[in-house]
Amino acid sequence: MEKTPANIEIIEKYCKGCHICVEFCPTKVLEMKGFVASVKNLEACIKCMQCELRCPDFAIKVS
Amino acid sequence: MAFDYDKYIRPGKLPHIWCPGCGHGIVMKGLIRAIDTLGLQKDNTAIVSGIGCASRLPGYMDFCTLHTAHGRAAAFATGVKMAKPEMNVILVGGDGDGTAIGGNHFIHACRRNIDMTYIIMNNNIYGMTGGQFSPCTPTGAKASTTVYGNPDPAFDVAKLAIGAGATFVARGTAYHATQIDKLIAEAIQHKGFSVVEILDDCPTTYGRRNKFKSVIEMMNRLKDIAVPVKAAEKMTAEQLEGKILTGVLYKEERPNYTDEYAKVIERAKK
Ligand code: SF4
Ligand code: SF4
């Protein structure tokens, strides 16, 4: 994995609040804030891309 | 790096209509990554569907697209392929559309081995039309038309495709997102009729009726039942009870319909 810190963009107007990204993130980076997903612990992100791959709504971009 | 899906999606079309947690969006992303890997051109690629939630997919894709009648994706797609054999033709749809309403078109496209790829999103139900049971609803499961439990056995879509003559058959799940694009890319590259069944989730009309508490429970079920074909070789029949094989399940080389039809044209000209 790259050492540079991750940048996680959540497009709130696309997020439908399904929880998939929060549940399956291996390092528990994300949480639900009200209706939409949000970043709680960016430092823990290992850029595995699982959240971006599984988001059914094109609402998460990890770079 | 984040994958740039936007360049393949019609501007202004997102957010899509699918319910929260519906796997169709995950499959669409897999299809986009497969198209990107293979470098398919927008004006040389047709994406064709019938009717249903899954069949809304082509509307989002910035390619040549056809949204047709219920169950008729294979019929229209065959027309496209015969008129323009050089085009990449990809069919998408659900289990109700593909194996019931369009079951006949499906088996004959398999038999003809026409060089197209069919992605069937199998979520075990008719989603859009109100949760009626489909030929892929498991025995005992509840649908709006089987409120006391479904008495029918379900189709195995992959076996059906193999039996009908498809020459490439693969299966993945909406949970195993990284595998979806690889299976679809291999299917598109295969010369002949290829079928990719993606086990999918419909939380709205299937999950709620069948005691899944959440989308996450449905995803975990997909995670638990899937066994890669290679791993299955080392497992006993007991261990495989209730599991479903994933990966490339079948592959053979056989003359395909467009090539054979071109020969008919040559013979007729003599
Ligand atoms: S990239 Fe991986 S580690 Fe980072 S937030 Fe997404 S799922 Fe979690
Ligand atoms: S009804 Fe089911 S299949 Fe249709 S969009 Fe909603 S979750 Fe998806």
Side-chain angles (χ1 to χ4, degrees):
Chain A
M1 293 299 153
E2 298 164 54
K3 285 268 154 50
T4 47
N7 180 40
I8 303 175
E9 184 194 350
I10 294 175
I11 304 162
E12 293 195 0
K13 65 175 183 192
Y14 290 174
C15 178
K16 293 177 187 155
C18 72
H19 290 232
I20 289 176
C21 59
V22 173
E23 187 67 25
F24 295 111
C25 167
T27 55
K28 302 288 164 228
V29 171
L30 305 160
E31 66 177 346
M32 294 307 293
K33 216 172 209 169
F35 188 68
V36 296
S38 129
V39 179
K40 143 180 99 172
N41 186 10
L42 185 65
E43 292 71 44
C45 177
I46 54 169
K47 294 196 212 176
C48 66
M49 312 305 277
Q50 293 303 313
C51 57
E52 183 185 301
L53 282 159
R54 283 205 191 91
C55 172
D57 285 281
F58 301 78
I60 297 197
K61 293 182 182 192
V62 180
S63 49
Chain B
M1 262 311 276
F3 186 92
D4 183 12
Y5 294 98
D6 294 342
K7 65 178 177 191
Y8 297 103
I9 293 175
R10 291 198 169 117
K13 283 285 182 184
L14 293 180
H16 53 59
I17 58 142
W18 296 313
C19 303
C22 174
H24 297 345
I26 305 174
V27 180
M28 180 162 120
K29 289 168 84 174
L31 170 60
I32 291 174
R33 293 194 304 278
I35 286 174
D36 183 80
T37 305
L38 300 176
L40 304 190
Q41 298 303 307
K42 291 181 176 185
D43 54 4
N44 196 36
T45 303
I47 306 174
V48 185
S49 70
I51 294 293
C53 295
S55 288
R56 295 292 292 258
L57 190 152
Y60 302 107
M61 301 285 287
D62 197 9
F63 289 81
C64 304
T65 61
L66 265 179
H67 188 191
T68 74
H70 212 345
R72 271 51 182 174
F76 284 84
T78 299
V80 173
K81 188 70 185 178
M82 294 311 288
K84 291 194 169 290
E86 71 287 355
M87 263 191 131
N88 307 298
V89 182
I90 300 162
L91 297 72
V92 296
D95 48 296
D97 183 67
T99 66
I101 311 252
N104 222 338
H105 294 283
F106 174 46
I107 57 175
H108 294 292
C110 293
R111 177 177 60 88
R112 274 180 165 157
N113 195 32
I114 184 160
D115 185 20
M116 310 192 292
T117 296
Y118 192 2
I119 301 164
I120 299 194
M121 288 161 249
N122 179 0
N123 57 14
N124 315 106
I125 199 123
Y126 282 92
M128 183 173 279
T129 53
Q132 294 87 352
F133 74 116
S134 88
C136 297
T137 303
T139 311
K142 292 199 172 133
S144 63
T145 44
T146 58
V147 285
Y148 302 107
N150 177 25
D152 288 356
F155 264 147
D156 179 323
V157 176
K159 275 191 189 156
L160 176 66
I162 296 167
T167 50
F168 179 100
V169 179
R171 190 192 280 129
T173 87
Y175 172 82
H176 301 87
T178 42
Q179 190 189 30
I180 298 174
D181 46 324
K182 293 177 187 75
L183 295 177
I184 295 176
E186 200 175 335
I188 293 172
Q189 278 177 303
H190 175 79
K191 190 95 183 138
F193 196 70
S194 50
V195 176
V196 182
E197 178 192 13
I198 304 292
L199 303 178
D200 208 341
D201 66 302
C202 169
T204 304
T205 73
Y206 188 82
R208 285 204 290 222
R209 278 191 183 87
N210 289 285
K211 297 207 163 59
F212 285 98
K213 287 194 197 76
S214 65
V215 168
I216 305 306
E217 243 184 51
M218 299 191 86
M219 282 282 151
N220 276 326
R221 180 189 149 263
L222 293 175
K223 179 181 168 186
D224 293 343
I225 59 170
V227 175
V229 264
K230 279 267 174 302
E233 284 167 13
K234 297 181 206 96
M235 289 167 70
T236 63
E238 223 166 56
Q239 289 170 318
L240 286 170
E241 184 73 35
K243 304 285 184 194
I244 297 188
L245 300 189
T246 56
V248 178
L249 307 177
Y250 185 76
K251 199 173 174 174
E252 75 164 293
E253 301 297 328
R254 188 158 65 75
N256 73 83
Y257 191 69
T258 36
D259 286 356
E260 292 308 298
Y261 201 81
K263 289 181 199 162
V264 172
I265 294 171
E266 283 310 308
R267 287 200 293 274
K269 279 183 184 160
K270 277 185 193 148

